[in-house]
Amino acid sequence: MAPEESRASLRASDADREQAIDVLKTAFARDRLARAEFGARVGQALVARTYADLAAATGSIPGPLIAGQPPGMSARVRQQRTRREMSHGELAQALGVSRQTVILIESGRYLPSLSLAFTIARFFGLTVDKMFGPDEEKTSPR
Amino acid sequence: MMRFIPPRLRKPAAIALAGVLFAAAWLVRGGPLWWISILAVIMAAARAVYLYRMGGQDTDEGALAGSRADERQKLLSLRSRALACNLAVIAAFIGLTAAIAVKGAWWWPFLVILGVAGFGYLLGLSNYGVAEEGTPDEVDAGHQARSPVSS
């Protein structure tokens, strides 16, 4: 039996299931999964008994999309917004900017001013550094 | 005064006022072309209505027309106006050069435009803050700079 096959048949732990769900959450936040598919896959991950079952639940999601990986600064705004199930318009209204500006920030085509960055970070309960700072894995020394 | 006018009405009101002033100028001038004043009022009213309707749209143009632009839209407007001013200055320079070359008597309006633009630029530098001469900081004064967070 190949090592991959033997690992696939091993029993998965709760931590493994949580990790798989985090991967699905990240994929959902980045619009890689539709809501219905996200729900179905989370259900699949929750009842997974083996690594093979977990692999099936997270199948077709790109490899680098590991849980806990901070997305780009613009993607973080989208991630926080979708996590709160807000529309572009609702977030724009809460921040006091236009819907177009929120869309452009999320697509990385507009960098908000320091003042707006503070407003956005405060709204999501994060620091400006966590909201708009560079990705940690790109800046940390290897 | 603008504070008392609802944001969506500000630009249309400004256009309407400009149209009325322009029409009044034609009326005061008199002569056979007095009817241009009526045309000016009609065009200004049409433009004001167009701006008012546009001000209700959920677009960048709508936000600018409705005087409810956010920081990005204000920057967009600022850049567009800067471009328009640059083009006006270039056009005025070309006009002045052409007027001089053909010995035309109509050179001075171009010079006025260039002068006003130059004065406006200097006024902008002054108002919006070219680096002001401040007192030297502690490092320059020979003292060791201290971080506000250090004890």
Side-chain angles (χ1 to χ4, degrees):
Chain A
M1 189 184 286
E4 294 84 20
E5 287 177 64
S6 63
R7 186 175 187 279
S9 62
L10 290 175
R11 305 283 255 184
S13 66
D14 281 343
D16 295 327
R17 279 184 278 273
E18 281 172 18
Q19 193 178 4
I21 290 168
D22 282 344
V23 169
L24 294 171
K25 279 182 186 171
T26 310
F28 175 63
R30 295 188 189 182
D31 283 343
R32 290 182 191 271
L33 287 178
R35 187 178 296 274
E37 193 183 0
F38 169 69
R41 284 185 182 231
V42 167
Q44 202 178 339
L46 282 171
V47 298
R49 290 178 175 275
T50 63
Y51 281 108
D53 295 337
L54 284 178
T58 57
S60 77
I61 292 172
L65 201 64
I66 55 170
Q69 177 189 19
M73 65 170 81
S74 54
R76 259 174 245 146
V77 177
R78 174 188 290 264
Q79 189 184 46
Q80 292 294 330
R81 179 179 61 77
T82 52
R83 189 173 286 172
R84 285 162 177 75
E85 297 184 344
M86 295 178 83
S87 67
H88 287 122
E90 287 167 343
L91 179 60
Q93 199 171 7
L95 298 175
V97 296
S98 66
R99 187 176 55 82
Q100 291 82 6
T101 297
V102 170
I103 292 170
L104 289 173
I105 290 172
E106 286 191 357
S107 63
R109 285 186 285 161
Y110 176 66
L111 283 175
S113 68
L114 193 57
S115 161
L116 181 56
F118 269 108
T119 306
I120 294 171
R122 203 173 294 136
F123 178 78
F124 288 124
L126 297 170
T127 62
V128 171
D129 188 40
K130 281 196 175 162
M131 195 78 208
F132 295 102
D135 291 349
E136 284 166 16
E137 73 271 20
K138 285 181 184 170
T139 54
S140 60
R142 295 187 182 272
Chain B
M1 191 184 84
M2 280 292 189
R3 282 184 193 167
F4 301 111
I5 303 173
R8 194 173 164 186
L9 281 175
R10 284 175 194 166
K11 283 209 169 65
I15 289 291
L17 181 66
V20 168
L21 287 175
F22 192 65
W26 278 103
L27 272 182
V28 169
R29 183 176 185 262
L33 293 177
W34 65 270
W35 54 269
I36 290 181
S37 62
I38 297 174
L39 193 67
V41 167
I42 292 171
M43 287 181 70
R47 177 77 181 154
V49 169
Y50 173 75
L51 278 175
Y52 181 78
R53 292 188 64 176
M54 187 188 265
Q57 292 175 1
D58 183 20
T59 59
D60 285 345
E61 294 87 350
L64 290 171
S67 301
R68 51 180 165 77
D70 64 18
E71 60 169 42
R72 183 186 59 82
Q73 290 160 336
K74 281 179 185 164
L75 186 66
L76 186 73
S77 170
L78 190 70
R79 284 177 166 176
S80 298
R81 278 187 284 168
L83 178 65
C85 186
N86 280 344
L87 290 177
V89 166
I90 291 169
F93 178 75
I94 291 171
L96 178 66
T97 309
I100 290 169
V102 300
K103 294 181 182 172
W106 34 271
W107 55 270
W108 63 269
F110 297 114
L111 193 62
V112 169
I113 293 171
L114 286 175
V116 169
F119 176 74
Y121 182 72
L122 292 176
L123 192 67
L125 288 182
S126 166
N127 277 0
Y128 304 130
V130 181
E132 289 175 11
E133 289 291 331
T135 54
D137 60 21
E138 289 178 343
V139 175
D140 290 341
H143 300 289
Q144 188 178 3
R146 285 183 117 182
S147 165
V149 293
S150 62
S151 56

